[in-house]
Structures are given as C-alpha cells and as structure tokens.
C-alpha cells in the first residue's frame, strides 16, 4: 500500500507537468545555476569584516575594508566592534605658521569650543569670533593665549571658591609669551598686526587677573615689597608699544568696530573741574581750578574715578572702567609703588566698581581692596580724612555718606562687588 503524497510534493509535480512542451505552448526555459568561483577564505580577518560579511584582506595594523569604511580595525579580542575612527569622529585642529606647528589635543578643542559657547570673547572685545579663530589657526602664539583665556574664564565662572591658575593656563601662557617674543624680534608684516594686538590684549587680561595671594593679609600692599609689585600695570605700558605697531584703529583692522570704545579708554576728553569731583576727594587730592596733570599727580586718576562713583554697575561700561588704568600716568604709578595713602584710596574706590563690571578684575578687586583698607588702618591710623572714605570696613557708612552728601544725593552701595560671587 503506497503512502499518500504530501501537498508540497503534489504542487511540484503539477508545476512540472504544466511546463511540459505541448503543441500550442512554448517550451519554458529552466534557469541555469550560477556556479560560485573558487576563492580562499579569510580565516584570520578582523571581526569588523566578519560582522559585515565581507572578505578581509588581513592587512596589519588596519585592513583596507575598515579603513575605507571609517572604523578602527579590531584584530585583538579587547578591541571594540565597528568603532568609528578618531580622525573621522574628531578631526584634527592645527595652528601653524612658518616655524611652529601646534596640534590641539582633545582638551584643547574642548576649551576652544567653550571659548565660543561661554561668550568669552564678547566680554573682552567687540570683534567677530570667526575671524579671531581664523587668525589663531594661522598664529600659534594667539592660539595658546586663546586656550589660556578660555580656561581662565571657565575657572572664574565655575568655582564658588577663588583659586589660582591651573597648570593648563600656565603652560599655554608661557608658550604664548615665548612665541610672541620671537615674533616681535622679527620684521613684522601687515597681516601680523591684528593677531599681535589680540594676543597682547588677552595677555594683559591674564596678567591683571593673576594675583600673588588670595589672602588679603598676604597680598599687596600689605605684603613685603618685591619686583613683582604692580606688574599688571607695567604690562599695560608694554601693551601700548604693541598698540603703536598694530594700529588697531586703522580702517581694515579687525578692531575697527571698537574705535569709539578705544577712544573713550585712551584719548577721549576728561570731564574736569572741581564740580566734577566729590568735595571730600577734591580737598584730599588738592584739586583746584588751576590743577592739571602736569601740576597734580592725582589729577587724571581722580577725574576718571569720580564719574564712576554715583553710577550703578548696570550704568557702567567696560570702557568706563578700563579708562582708569588705560589713562594712568607714571607719576601716579610711582605713588602706588610708594604706597601713598591717597593713591591707595583712589585705587580702592576704583576696585569696588571694577569688580562689578569686569570679570577678570573681580578677584584682584576683592582681595587687594581689602588689603588696602587693612594697610591704611594699620599704618595711617591718624588719617581720618582718608579712613572716613574707605569703601570697606567699620568706617564705611559715615565716610561714604560724607563723600557723596554734597555731590550725589542718591544713596549708593559700595560693597556690592565685594559680595558678588565669582
């Protein structure tokens, strides 16, 4: 007795019968099978090629298949599968000129991204971010200081407790200084002017931000005298030498949009006169109708500080603040070096305003203002005409009131910058 046929077998026989040649039907061609060409199997290929089911050429250290596909070849057991190659995932960024090549590390690139996203450049200068980065890629000394200022800005924004520069900042500042010194020793080209001025600006900011100690008792002017005292002010003099070389106010300058701000900082007319200065300060600084910068070493300093005193931080610009140091003359700097009590008072009055407006001055303003107040009380305890005007400490309320009572009727808060977090 024969076994019944299954349905698949029956369908196969029917289809074969329908394909039989008949008088009215054409012969149906049976497709020919394609024979696979003999080949050598890859038994030692990488795992990526096995996962992708392609033949590996077994080239070391990376096969051609992985290179073309953009993944890291993985012959070893500990290597990940199908990991994107670093050069495709993270393109190289290089800053180079004719003598120096700087290839940025991953940490460098992170700070370069932060330089843009955190708005560091906007707080410093009114220039186009893209143009500054293009110059940095062509001038390694500028790239070094851009990385340093980005790290410094992150430190000031992200730490509630003040701390000194990181090793990353110190390294890039030292590299910048070395390359800049070498650059300035060579003949300068027209295209060197903008990167030179940008670099000197950023180095000046870094120098201003760095102080010898975070403790007022160990900071200037209380600390012992040494050659580093007021070095940040000397840096401003060197910066002006670069100004003359770079001419930032020329028509095709990267800084052409800052002409008004620079004029206010360096060359704008001062609002002078005894009626422009609070009476208590005018008496202390011996300001009279006949006073001038040639006859009175306090003249320029007091006339740049006085317009700041009755204004809130929101009413002050970067140029308003920086004009005090930009216009500071050598006789007044000599008085600061000598720790003259009136000069120290003027500096402390400026500090309380500067720390509220300019972020890179905030730490110096906080520490050195307190140090100045302590110094004056310790070594000039009999100068009540000065102690009454100090912007911090137990004498503040009466002294500040006396300073403004006949000059500015509105009440002012001097210590706002001292309590502003970094």
């Amino acid at each position: 007795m024969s076994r019944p046929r299954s349905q698949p077998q029956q369908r196969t026989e029917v289809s074969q019968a329908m394909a039989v040649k008949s008088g009215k039907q054409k012969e149906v061609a049976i497709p020919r099978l394609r024979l696979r060409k003999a080949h050598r199997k890859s038994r030692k290929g990488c795992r990526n090629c096995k996962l992708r089911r392609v033949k590996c050429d077994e080239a070391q250290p990376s096969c051609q298949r992985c290179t073309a596909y953009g993944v890291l070849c993985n012959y070893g057991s500990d290597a990940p599968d199908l990991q994107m190659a670093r050069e495709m995932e993270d393109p190289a960024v290089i800053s180079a000129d004719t003598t120096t090549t700087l290839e940025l590390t991953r940490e460098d690139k992170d700070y370069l991204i932060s330089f843009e996203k955190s708005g560091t450049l906007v707080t410093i200068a009114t220039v186009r971010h893209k143009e500054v980065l293009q110059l940095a890629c062509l001038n390694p000394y500028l790239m070094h200081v851009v990385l340093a200022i980005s790290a410094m800005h992150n430190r000031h924004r992200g730490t509630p407790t003040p701390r000194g520069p990181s090793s990353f900042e110190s390294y890039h500042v030292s590299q910048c200084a070395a390359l800049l010194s070498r650059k300035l020793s060579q003949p300068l080209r027209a295209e060197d002017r903008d990167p030179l001025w940008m670099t000197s600006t950023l180095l000046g900011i870094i120098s201003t931000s760095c102080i010898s100690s975070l403790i007022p008792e160990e900071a200037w002017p209380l600390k012992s005298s040494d050659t580093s005292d007021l070095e940040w002010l000397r840096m401003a003099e060197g910066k002006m030498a670069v100004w003359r070389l770079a001419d930032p106010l020329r028509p095709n300058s990267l800084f052409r949009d800052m002409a008004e701000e620079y004029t206010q900082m360096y060359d704008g007319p001062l609002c002078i006169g005894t009626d422009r200065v609070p009476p208590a300060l005018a008496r202390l600084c011996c300001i009279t109708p006949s006073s001038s910068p040639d006859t009175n070493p306090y003249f320029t300093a007091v006339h740049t500080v006085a317009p700041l005193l009755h204004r809130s931080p929101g009413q002050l610009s970067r140029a308003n603040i920086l004009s005090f140091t930009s216009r500071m003359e050598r006789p007044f700097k000599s008085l600061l070096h000598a720790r003259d009590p009136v000069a120290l008072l003027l500096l402390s009055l400026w500090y309380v305003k500067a720390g509220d407006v300019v972020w890179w001055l905030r730490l110096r303003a906080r520490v050195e203002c307190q140090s100045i107040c302590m110094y004056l009380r310790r070594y000039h305890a009999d100068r009540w005409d000065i102690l009454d005007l100090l912007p911090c400490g137990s004498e503040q309320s009466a002294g500040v009131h006396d300073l403004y009572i006949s000059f500015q009727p509105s009440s002012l808060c001097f210590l706002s910058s001292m309590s502003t977090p970094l």
Side-chain angles (χ1 to χ4, degrees):
M1 183 175 179
S2 61
R3 297 176 58 186
R5 287 173 291 186
S6 63
Q7 290 183 357
Q9 184 177 3
Q10 292 176 357
R11 285 196 296 267
T12 301
E13 292 177 355
V14 171
S15 61
Q16 291 175 350
M18 292 176 64
V20 176
K21 181 179 178 182
S22 64
K24 295 181 179 181
Q25 289 180 323
K26 295 181 179 180
E27 183 177 358
V28 178
I30 300 176
R32 298 175 61 183
L33 296 177
R34 182 169 64 88
L35 298 178
R36 186 177 181 184
K37 187 177 179 180
H39 65 286
R40 185 179 66 85
K41 291 185 177 182
S42 172
R43 301 187 181 277
K44 297 181 180 180
C46 68
R47 291 201 312 278
N48 287 340
C49 289
K50 292 178 181 178
L51 288 172
R52 297 177 57 219
R53 298 181 179 275
V54 295
K55 183 172 183 276
C56 182
D57 61 9
E58 301 180 12
Q60 297 280 355
S62 180
C63 71
Q64 294 183 5
R65 296 274 192 182
C66 286
T67 301
Y69 195 61
V71 295
L72 294 176
C73 206
N74 56 351
Y75 288 103
S77 59
D78 57 341
D81 295 332
L82 298 174
Q83 181 178 358
M84 183 176 289
R86 180 62 178 270
E87 57 268 17
M88 296 184 64
E89 176 188 1
D90 194 7
V93 177
I94 296 176
S95 174
D97 56 16
T98 57
T99 61
T100 307
T101 299
L102 168 65
E103 183 172 356
L104 271 62
T105 65
R106 186 60 179 269
E107 184 181 20
D108 296 339
K109 295 173 191 176
D110 290 341
Y111 278 118
L112 202 60
I113 293 172
S114 176
F115 182 72
E116 177 180 10
K117 291 188 174 180
S118 64
T120 303
L121 186 60
V122 177
T123 67
I124 295 170
T126 309
V127 293
R128 296 170 180 82
H129 180 269
K130 182 179 180 181
E131 293 183 36
V132 172
L133 289 188
Q134 288 174 344
L135 289 176
C137 288
L138 298 173
N139 300 275
Y141 60 88
L142 176 55
M143 180 63 79
H144 278 296
V145 75
V146 164
L147 296 174
I149 202 78
S150 177
M152 188 181 86
H153 193 203
N154 280 5
R155 172 168 56 87
H156 279 255
R157 291 186 307 113
T159 56
T161 304
R163 56 187 175 88
S166 64
S167 58
F168 180 92
E169 296 171 52
S170 300
Y171 168 77
H172 284 287
V173 168
S174 64
Q175 292 296 307
C176 170
L179 293 176
L180 181 61
S181 177
R182 186 169 68 186
K183 185 69 175 180
L184 292 173
S185 67
Q186 302 170 351
L188 298 179
R189 304 164 299 172
E191 56 268 30
D192 293 328
R193 292 181 292 182
D194 284 342
L196 281 176
W197 179 245
M198 187 79 256
T199 301
S200 65
T201 298
L202 298 182
L203 281 178
I205 289 172
I206 292 173
S207 174
T208 302
S209 174
C210 295
I211 59 177
S212 59
S213 175
L214 300 177
I215 303 173
E217 292 84 353
E218 300 174 359
W220 183 89
L222 274 177
K223 75 180 187 69
S224 301
S225 299
D226 59 45
T227 56
S228 65
D229 291 347
L230 301 178
E231 186 175 357
W232 63 283
L233 290 178
R234 288 196 295 272
M235 182 77 181
E237 295 182 11
K239 183 178 169 183
M240 292 313 298
V242 179
W243 171 282
R244 291 187 287 272
L245 289 173
D247 187 16
L249 297 183
R250 68 187 191 279
N252 63 340
S253 169
L254 174 66
F255 306 91
R256 56 192 175 273
D257 295 334
M258 296 185 64
E260 183 177 348
E261 182 174 350
Y262 282 145
T263 299
Q264 183 179 356
M265 288 170 55
Y266 296 105
D267 301 317
L270 282 175
C271 295
I272 61 175
T274 55
D275 59 331
R276 301 286 184 175
V277 180
L281 272 184
R283 290 192 299 269
L284 189 62
C285 298
C286 300
I287 301 297
T288 66
S290 61
S291 297
S292 70
D294 296 329
T295 61
N296 190 324
Y298 306 114
F299 186 88
T300 302
V302 75
H303 279 93
T304 51
V305 167
L308 311 178
L309 299 178
H310 65 279
R311 299 164 72 179
S312 65
Q315 297 173 319
L316 295 172
S317 67
R318 183 173 58 209
N320 294 146
I321 295 297
L322 298 181
S323 63
F324 176 78
T325 51
S326 301
R327 294 172 177 267
M328 190 180 292
E329 297 167 338
R330 288 189 177 183
F332 186 77
K333 292 180 183 179
S334 298
L335 291 174
L336 287 176
H337 275 285
R339 293 173 169 81
D340 175 78
V342 177
L344 291 177
L345 173 65
L346 292 175
L347 181 61
S348 67
L349 293 174
W350 175 73
Y351 270 150
V352 294
K353 292 298 182 180
D356 255 350
V357 179
V358 181
W359 63 265
W360 63 85
L361 287 168
R362 193 168 298 155
L363 182 58
R364 179 177 294 276
R366 173 182 294 182
V367 176
E368 289 194 355
C369 186
Q370 294 181 32
S371 184
I372 289 173
C373 293
M374 295 168 65
Y375 176 88
L376 292 175
R377 292 194 186 95
R378 183 177 302 177
Y379 298 106
H380 297 276
D382 58 336
R383 293 293 305 269
W384 286 101
D385 55 341
I386 292 176
L387 299 184
D388 279 348
L389 304 181
L390 285 178
C392 56
S394 58
E395 293 88 355
Q396 179 209 349
S397 298
V400 170
H401 178 72
D402 290 343
L403 180 61
Y404 295 103
I405 190 169
S406 59
F407 180 69
Q408 177 65 27
S410 60
S411 59
L412 300 170
C413 180
F414 260 110
L415 289 180
S416 57
S417 65
M418 297 297 103
S419 61
T420 303
L422 289 174

